């Protein structure tokens, strides 16, 4: 059981390295954003695997949080690239 | 309140009341009210002396040793009389001298403040009170010099005298406190009785140097004499009172007061004698070339103060040799000359004020031939000037004779020998020669020759203006003709200086033919010749370069201090945050390195746990990301790498069993990354030009240094754990006492809830701050845009 989890951990870690390479190298911003999104998800996977390894349920909340954050981050980046702003707020009309 | 305390407090009370009187009563000159005070004080002093109430104590702050303990011995009595009587004469003179349009309330307040302070200086037996009054004389003198504060030169003179005398004042504090440390008493006369303890103390030299500097700055001794000629910008009554008769003698008083203590040391005698002689020579030499009447008198005052110092130095030999009555005469000469100088110099200043008043100028080149126009002034002037020159039968002759004969006596002592005697005699004889020259030249230039080239119609001064100088001239004549009426005062003053009975003193004009008399006659002959040949030799003064004077040094020093502080301000304080950080971090490195270097590196015993593979991977990840931030080409890449580090730290929290921390860390990291991106987006277009961080060797060295130092400290700290952790308590009680199972949360809100409260406050303040910044900025920007449109 533990060995399976460790093998899975290693695999996820290796894939994270791949994402990281893309995030660093990525020619366009979009490449990097997608790589970061994937990184976030693999982070969730790692935490889940660790919860198994440490035999605890305390990290479930973090996994949920990461899911939300990763979504929010990616969505705001997408909006930023699309419109140039994250929160549309017209300063001059207030 | 005893008589002495009442007498000293009178001027202070007067200083408080005068402005009110002046405000409500414009018809009567406020000087008449001020005049009452010195007269009353003089009467009180005489009463105190007659009733033998000469030792009065009044506790003020006994726990720090500051008490108003007054003690009136001979020298204090002499000074008290000078201060109050000349004070009264000066006030009377000023009533007729100062215009009614001047700020008279201010003038008399300052003057009375000064009078009270000066009385305090000469009466205080407590050293802290002495220092207090001493500084008060400096401050009130500063106010009086700058009385005409619309004049630039007055302000400069006041600043100069303030800087120099306050420097001396601080020296005095240092010296007095050193003496207090040695003797463990705050009382001057107890210090005198412990003089054998003081001379053996290792702090003796420190105390002596401090006291000497204090006395030399206050009494305008070489090379601190430069403030006194500039203080002549004060109104003439002030110059007459402060800068001839009273305040400048405070240093002489101090030296006299400490003679029984310090004259046990040969270096004290050497320094006081030679500085005095040098001052005597240098100032009288310079007095001759002055064009301004008050300038002549200022340098003359400096040189006469030098004479008194020299006498005190020689008088110290009487203490040094224990019982050498030969040198007691020097002290008697000094106290006699203090009196004489006050009388003739006060008169001279007032006469110069009258001349200024009547002719509108004090310039020696413009004044001449006043003898027929102002006969009374001339009479007063010639008597006081001849007294200053040391011509019989006036009182200056007597003290000058005593001075010269003391000078010839010093070869009897074993500490002055060979070249030092020759040098000393040369200094004082040439000094006396120049004293004669400037005194005679003063009379010759002002009163003789053709009629003055001034605009005003010159005539004799009114009687009231002349009254004060005439009284002083009368004193000069009377004490010159009958000097023995003063012997009682001089004897008791000399007794106070030496702390020894000097025996009966008899002053007479004729001592028989002795070296002093021959020298005096020679001085008269050569001096008269030199006065009339002045135009042939005055070019000797042109040899003196303007940048060789101490004024030049003072000005340069002032500019240098300013430019140095300006430079420091520019290079360090106003140099931007990079240099500040360099300083802070270098200090951190240096201090820690010094601390580490003091003991051999001892890492203690580490209780290390096993290193796991994923921790290693995470460390490598963070290292890569950190490296990337440093070498990143673009800012946005740095931001991403920073958030990568943040997430990795979150992961570390996961590995190390800290779910709450991980939760918070991840959220905060996301938000701060978003904030960073926002900042990045709002950068102005121009500065968005991106380049690699420039490599700077200092930065690299300092950052590596900080990293190393902090790492070493962390490693050492880990090995030395002095007390067990208190975690066991929390683990045991988290449920029993606080009814919670999440220990982190229980600690945050229960065991240590206060921290949380204030951290919430911090967050609240930050939020309000951001809101304010944005709102204010908005408003300004909008206004700005509107005005542009």
């Amino acid at each position: 059981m533990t060995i399976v989890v460790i093998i899975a951990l290693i695999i996820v870690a290796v894939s994270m390295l791949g994402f990281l390479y893309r995030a660093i190298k990525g020619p366009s911003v979009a490449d990097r954003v997608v790589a970061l999104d994937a990184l976030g998800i693999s982070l969730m996977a790692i935490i889940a695997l660790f919860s198994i390894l440490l035999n605890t349920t305390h990290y479930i909340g973090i996994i949920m949080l990461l899911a939300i954050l990763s979504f929010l981050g990616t969505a705001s980046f997408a909006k930023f690239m699309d419109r140039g702003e994250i929160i549309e707020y017209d300063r001059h009309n207030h | 309140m005893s008589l002495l305390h009442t007498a000293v407090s009178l001027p202070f009370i007067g200083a408080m009341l005068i402005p009110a009187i002046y405000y409500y009563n414009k018809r009567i000159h406020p000087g008449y009210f001020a005049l009452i005070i010195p007269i009353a004080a003089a009467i009180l002093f005489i009463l105190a002396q007659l009733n033998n109430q000469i030792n009065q104590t009044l506790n003020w702050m006994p726990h720090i040793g500051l008490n108003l303990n007054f003690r009136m011995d001979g020298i204090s009595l002499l000074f008290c009389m000078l201060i109050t009587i000349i004070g009264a004469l000066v006030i009377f003179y000023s009533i007729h001298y100062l215009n009614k349009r001047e700020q008279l309330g201010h003038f008399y307040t300052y003057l009375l403040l000064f009078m009270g302070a000066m009385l305090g200086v000469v009466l205080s037996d407590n050293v802290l009170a002495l220092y207090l009054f001493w500084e008060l004389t400096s401050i009130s003198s500063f106010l009086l010099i700058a009385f005409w504060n619309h004049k630039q030169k007055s302000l400069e003179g006041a600043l100069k005298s303030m800087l120099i005398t306050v420097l001396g004042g601080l020296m005095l504090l240092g010296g007095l406190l050193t003496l207090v440390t040695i003797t463990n008493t705050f009382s001057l006369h107890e210090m005198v009785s412990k003089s054998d303890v003081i001379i053996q103390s290792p702090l003796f030299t420190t105390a002596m140097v401090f006291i000497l500097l204090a006395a030399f700055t206050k009494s305008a001794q070489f090379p601190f004499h430069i403030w006194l000629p500039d203080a002549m910008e004060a109104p003439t009554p002030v110059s007459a009172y402060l800068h001839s008769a009273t305040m400048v003698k405070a240093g002489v008083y101090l030296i006299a007061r400490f003679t029984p203590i310090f004259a046990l040391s040969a270096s004290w005698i050497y320094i006081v004698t030679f500085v005095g002689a040098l001052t005597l020579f240098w100032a009288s030499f310079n007095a001759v070339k002055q064009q301004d009447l008050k300038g002549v008198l200022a340098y003359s005052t400096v040189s006469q103060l030098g004479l008194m110092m020299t006498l005190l130095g020689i008088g110290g030999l009487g203490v040094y040799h224990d019982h050498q009555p030969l040198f007691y005469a020097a002290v008697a000469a000094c106290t006699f000359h203090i009196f004489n100088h006050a009388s003739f110099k006060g008169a001279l200043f007032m006469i110069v004020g009258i001349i200024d008043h009547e002719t509108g100028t004090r310039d020696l080149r413009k004044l001449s031939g006043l003898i027929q126009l102002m006969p009374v002034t001339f009479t007063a002037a010639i008597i006081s000037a001849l007294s200053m020159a040391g011509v019989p039968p006036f009182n200056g002759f007597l003290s000058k004779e005593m001075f010269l004969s003391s000078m010839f006596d010093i070869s009897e002592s074993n500490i002055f020998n060979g070249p030092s005697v020759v040098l000393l005699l040369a200094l004082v004889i040439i000094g006396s020669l120049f004293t004669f020259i400037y005194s005679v030249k003063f009379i010759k230039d002002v009163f003789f020759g053709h009629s003055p080239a001034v605009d005003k119609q010159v005539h004799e001064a009114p009687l009231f203006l002349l009254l004060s100088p005439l009284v002083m001239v009368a004193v000069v004549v009377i004490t010159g003709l009958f000097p023995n009426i003063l012997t009682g005062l001089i004897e008791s003053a000399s007794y106070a200086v030496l702390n020894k009975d000097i025996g009966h003193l008899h002053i007479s004009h004729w001592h028989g033919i002795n070296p002093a008399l021959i020298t005096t006659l020679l001085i008269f002959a050569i001096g008269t010749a030199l006065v009339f040949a002045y135009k042939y030799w005055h070019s000797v003064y042109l040899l003196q370069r303007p940048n060789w004077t101490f004024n030049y040094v003072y000005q340069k020093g002032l500019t240098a201090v300013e430019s140095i502080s300006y430079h420091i301000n520019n290079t360090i304080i106003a140099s931007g945050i990079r240099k500040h950080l360099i300083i802070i971090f270098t200090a951190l490195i240096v201090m820690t390195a010094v601390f580490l270097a003091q003991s051999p590196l001892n890492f203690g015993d580490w209780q290390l746990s096993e290193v796991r593979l994923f921790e290693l991977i995470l460390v490598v990840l963070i290292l890569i990301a950190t490296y990337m931030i440093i070498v990143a080409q673009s800012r946005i890449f740095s931001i991403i790498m920073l958030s990568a580090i943040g997430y990795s730290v979150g992961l570390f929290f996961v590995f190390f069993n800290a779910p709450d921390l991980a939760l918070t860390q991840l959220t905060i990291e996301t938000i701060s990354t978003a904030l960073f991106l926002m900042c990045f987006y709002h950068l102005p277009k121009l500065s968005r030009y991106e380049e690699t961080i420039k490599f700077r060797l200092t930065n690299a060295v300092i950052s590596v240094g900080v990293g190393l130092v902090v790492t070493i400290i962390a490693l050492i700290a880990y090995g030395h754990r002095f007390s067990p952790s208190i975690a066991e308590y929390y683990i045991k009680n988290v449920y029993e006492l606080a009814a919670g199972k999440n220990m982190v949360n229980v600690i945050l809100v229960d065991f240590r809830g206060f921290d949380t409260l204030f951290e919430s406050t911090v967050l609240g303040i930050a939020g309000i701050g951001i809101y304010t910044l944005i709102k204010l900025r908005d408003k300004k920007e909008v206004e700005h845009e509107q005005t542009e449109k």
Side-chain angles (χ1 to χ4, degrees):
Chain A
M1 178 63 186
T2 327
I3 291 164
V4 176
V5 173
I6 286 172
I7 290 168
L9 263 174
I10 290 166
I11 291 169
V12 176
V14 170
S15 62
M16 272 180 89
L17 281 178
F19 296 139
L20 201 63
Y21 172 75
R22 191 38 55 200
I24 293 165
K25 200 73 196 173
S28 75
V29 180
D31 290 318
R32 288 181 175 136
V33 172
V34 172
L36 281 179
D37 193 36
L39 264 174
I41 289 162
S42 30
L43 209 58
M44 287 159 59
I46 282 190
I47 294 171
L49 288 167
F50 255 94
S51 305
I52 296 168
L53 206 62
L54 300 170
N55 199 19
T56 165
T57 55
H58 290 303
Y59 293 120
I60 308 297
I62 293 172
I63 296 168
M64 309 282 266
L65 181 83
L66 267 177
I68 297 163
L69 287 181
S70 157
F71 165 72
L72 275 178
T74 314
S76 31
F77 254 116
K79 193 171 175 190
F80 177 74
M81 290 190 316
D82 188 27
R83 306 225 178 139
E85 264 182 304
I86 299 171
I87 303 163
E88 282 167 69
Y89 170 76
D90 191 350
R91 209 184 260 184
H92 305 298
N93 289 342
H94 283 269
Chain B
M1 291 285 274
S2 67
L3 286 172
L4 289 184
H5 289 99
T6 319
V8 174
S9 61
L10 268 179
F12 292 110
I13 296 166
M16 279 189 280
L17 291 181
I18 287 285
I21 294 172
Y22 181 58
Y23 187 80
Y24 288 109
N25 178 6
K26 289 272 197 276
R27 280 187 305 130
I28 304 174
H29 198 288
Y32 287 110
F33 297 103
L35 189 56
I36 303 166
I37 286 160
I39 295 170
I43 293 167
L44 284 175
F45 284 128
I46 292 167
L47 278 180
Q49 182 71 20
L50 290 179
N51 294 334
N52 217 19
Q53 293 190 355
I54 52 170
N55 208 347
Q56 307 284 355
T57 59
L58 179 69
N59 280 359
W60 184 10
M61 299 183 198
H63 50 286
I64 60 163
L66 174 55
N67 294 320
L68 294 175
N69 294 348
F70 292 151
R71 190 180 156 86
M72 191 162 71
D73 51 13
I75 188 140
S76 300
L77 179 69
L78 172 69
F79 269 96
C80 285
M81 287 296 112
L82 287 180
I83 292 161
T84 49
I85 292 169
I86 296 180
L89 291 172
V90 161
I91 288 174
F92 187 75
Y93 175 78
S94 71
I95 292 170
H96 304 282
Y97 182 83
L98 287 175
N99 199 311
K100 270 211 162 185
R101 284 191 297 273
E102 306 269 12
Q103 290 179 309
L104 293 173
H106 291 203
F107 183 80
Y108 290 107
T109 303
Y110 301 157
L111 199 68
L112 289 176
L113 207 59
F114 169 79
M115 190 184 291
M118 197 65 211
L119 288 175
V121 167
V122 297
L123 283 173
S124 288
D125 186 48
N126 182 288
V127 291
L128 292 180
L130 170 69
Y131 170 70
L132 184 82
F133 288 120
W134 184 278
E135 289 293 37
L136 204 52
T137 62
S138 295
I139 292 165
S140 49
S141 159
F142 169 79
L143 292 168
L144 284 166
I145 295 170
F147 179 63
W148 288 320
N149 53 22
H150 52 274
K151 292 202 306 195
Q152 182 65 25
K153 283 191 104 179
S154 295
L155 298 179
E156 280 168 8
L159 178 68
K160 194 180 198 176
S161 72
M162 183 76 166
L163 284 177
I164 293 176
T165 52
V166 167
L167 171 82
L170 291 175
M171 297 292 160
L172 178 67
L173 181 64
L176 294 177
L177 290 181
T178 315
L179 287 176
V180 169
T181 318
I182 298 170
T183 58
N184 205 22
T185 170
F186 285 93
S187 157
L188 274 173
H189 75 274
E190 281 174 34
M191 280 178 186
V192 170
S193 63
K194 288 183 182 174
S195 55
D196 50 334
V197 181
I198 297 172
I199 183 96
Q200 281 156 7
S201 159
L203 289 170
F204 177 79
T205 317
T206 319
M208 188 177 84
V209 168
F210 276 147
I211 298 281
L212 280 174
L213 280 173
F216 289 167
T217 50
K218 196 77 165 180
S219 275
Q221 296 296 297
F222 189 88
F224 306 109
H225 62 278
I226 52 170
W227 67 265
L228 208 146
D230 283 4
M232 290 302 126
E233 295 301 325
T236 304
V238 173
S239 310
Y241 188 41
L242 273 69
H243 305 127
S244 71
T246 52
M247 187 180 93
V248 288
K249 294 207 175 84
V252 176
Y253 168 79
L254 196 70
I255 295 286
R257 188 48 90 206
F258 282 103
T259 291
I261 296 174
F262 288 112
L264 293 168
S265 137
S267 45
W268 166 273
I269 292 167
Y270 257 126
I271 295 169
V272 174
T273 313
F274 270 102
V275 169
L278 193 59
T279 313
L280 167 64
F281 161 70
W282 184 245
S284 60
F285 177 67
N286 275 302
V288 179
K289 70 166 181 182
Q290 300 300 316
Q291 307 287 2
D292 179 38
L293 281 179
K294 279 175 98 175
V296 177
L297 294 185
Y299 276 102
S300 148
T301 304
V302 174
S303 104
Q304 302 280 318
L305 290 166
L307 189 153
M308 295 171 210
M309 284 288 178
T310 316
L311 280 172
L312 279 177
I314 300 165
L317 285 170
V319 178
Y320 184 76
H321 291 291
D322 217 19
H323 286 293
Q324 269 272 35
L326 195 56
F327 303 113
Y328 295 175
V331 176
C334 178
T335 48
F336 191 34
H337 198 70
I338 289 173
F339 178 87
N340 294 345
H341 176 251
S343 61
F344 64 69
K345 193 52 68 63
L348 276 173
F349 266 107
M350 292 183 191
I351 289 160
V352 166
I354 289 170
I355 294 170
D356 189 11
H357 216 256
E358 299 303 322
T359 63
T361 183
R362 293 197 317 247
D363 197 326
L364 273 171
R365 288 163 300 188
K366 289 182 186 165
L367 291 166
S368 56
L370 291 180
I371 181 164
Q372 273 130 7
L373 299 165
M374 306 173 78
V376 184
T377 316
F378 165 71
T379 315
I382 195 162
I383 291 172
S384 27
L386 288 181
S387 178
M388 178 161 77
V391 176
F394 307 115
N395 59 8
F397 167 73
L398 301 166
S399 43
K400 192 64 76 63
E401 283 295 286
M402 290 162 83
F403 169 60
L404 286 174
S405 52
S406 305
M407 290 309 300
F408 286 115
D409 285 342
I410 54 166
S411 46
E412 302 284 320
S413 80
N414 54 11
I415 72 163
F416 284 102
N417 43 32
S420 71
V421 176
V422 175
L423 178 65
L424 204 56
L425 280 176
L427 280 176
V428 299
I429 291 172
I430 298 173
S432 305
L433 178 65
F434 278 102
T435 307
F436 185 81
I437 293 173
Y438 70 70
S439 307
V440 176
K441 186 171 168 289
F442 169 82
I443 295 297
K444 178 178 165 280
D445 286 3
V446 175
F447 293 100
F448 291 94
H450 49 84
S451 11
V454 291
D455 307 331
K456 275 180 151 179
Q457 184 68 39
V458 181
H459 50 76
E460 189 56 82
L463 176 65
F464 282 129
L465 201 54
L466 277 168
L467 203 60
S468 297
L470 285 180
V471 169
M472 291 176 117
V473 167
V475 170
V476 170
V477 175
I478 293 167
T479 54
L481 293 177
F482 311 104
N484 290 313
I485 54 173
L486 282 175
T487 44
L489 193 61
I490 292 167
E491 275 165 22
S492 65
S494 308
Y495 174 75
V497 173
L498 289 166
N499 205 19
K500 280 178 194 130
D501 202 346
I502 64 161
H504 188 64
L505 183 77
H506 185 77
I507 305 169
S508 63
H509 284 83
W510 181 252
H511 291 281
I513 296 174
N514 55 15
L517 186 70
I518 295 166
T519 317
T520 310
L521 292 176
L522 274 175
I523 286 172
F524 291 168
I526 299 170
T528 318
L530 282 176
V531 171
F532 287 99
Y534 180 65
K535 61 171 181 275
Y536 300 112
W537 62 273
H538 77 277
S539 54
V540 73
Y541 288 109
L542 298 175
L543 296 175
Q544 202 183 359
R545 292 273 179 72
N547 51 357
W548 283 7
T549 59
F550 285 97
N551 266 322
Y552 181 79
V553 174
Y554 166 83
Q555 290 297 348
K556 275 282 154 200
L558 214 57
T559 338
V561 167
E562 266 174 30
S563 71
I564 288 169
S565 50
Y566 182 77
H567 187 72
I568 290 173
N569 187 51
N570 264 7
T571 51
I572 296 171
I573 294 161
S575 61
I577 202 155
R578 177 168 175 261
K579 274 195 181 161
H580 295 184
L581 290 177
I582 286 180
I583 292 166
I584 292 168
F585 284 126
T586 315
L588 173 77
I589 295 168
V590 169
M591 286 193 292
T592 327
V594 167
F595 168 72
L596 288 174
Q598 276 171 356
S599 57
L601 278 184
N602 176 13
F603 287 108
D605 54 332
W606 289 342
Q607 293 165 340
L608 300 179
S609 47
E610 195 187 337
V611 180
R612 290 179 290 181
L613 179 67
F614 28 85
E615 290 162 7
L616 217 60
I617 293 170
L618 217 48
V619 166
V620 172
L621 211 68
I622 290 177
L623 281 179
I624 292 170
T626 314
Y627 178 72
M628 283 300 177
I629 290 177
I630 297 169
V631 300
Q633 299 275 339
S634 73
R635 289 197 177 89
I636 194 139
F637 184 62
S638 295
I639 294 168
I640 291 168
M641 282 301 111
L642 193 65
S643 77
I645 293 176
Y647 278 100
S648 311
V649 170
L651 214 54
F652 256 123
F653 289 145
V654 171
F655 291 159
F656 291 142
N657 299 323
D660 294 290
L661 279 182
L663 207 66
T664 322
Q665 169 69 23
L666 292 174
T667 327
I668 294 299
E669 193 52 48
T670 314
I671 293 169
S672 48
T673 308
L675 285 176
F676 269 124
L677 287 171
M678 222 156 87
C679 295
F680 172 76
Y681 173 71
H682 285 294
L683 278 179
K685 289 270 185 297
L686 199 68
S687 65
R688 250 194 247 190
Y689 168 71
E690 290 174 347
E691 54 179 335
T692 324
I693 301 170
K694 266 186 263 157
F695 179 78
R696 284 197 177 101
L697 191 66
T698 10
N699 287 10
V701 169
I702 288 175
S703 49
V704 169
V706 171
L708 256 169
V709 159
V710 173
T711 311
I712 293 170
I713 291 291
L715 292 179
I716 291 174
Y718 184 75
H720 298 81
R721 200 160 279 186
F722 295 110
S723 57
S725 165
I726 59 162
E728 288 304 317
Y729 171 81
Y730 292 133
I731 293 167
K732 219 179 95 195
N733 291 317
V734 66
Y735 189 75
E736 278 174 28
L737 291 179
K741 284 182 177 164
N742 184 330
M743 201 169 79
V744 175
N745 290 355
V746 167
I747 289 174
L748 281 180
V749 299
D750 194 322
F751 288 123
R752 307 204 47 170
F754 258 120
D755 295 355
T756 316
L757 174 66
F758 291 112
E759 272 155 26
S760 314
T761 318
V762 168
L763 278 181
I765 291 169
I768 294 166
I770 291 165
Y771 180 78
T772 323
L773 283 176
I774 291 171
K775 276 294 164 191
L776 285 178
R777 176 170 163 273
D778 260 2
K779 229 184 232 169
K780 260 191 198 161
E781 216 161 74
V782 169
E783 277 167 15
H784 187 62
E785 276 170 15
Q786 276 168 351
T787 48
E788 270 187 353
K789 277 170 195 167

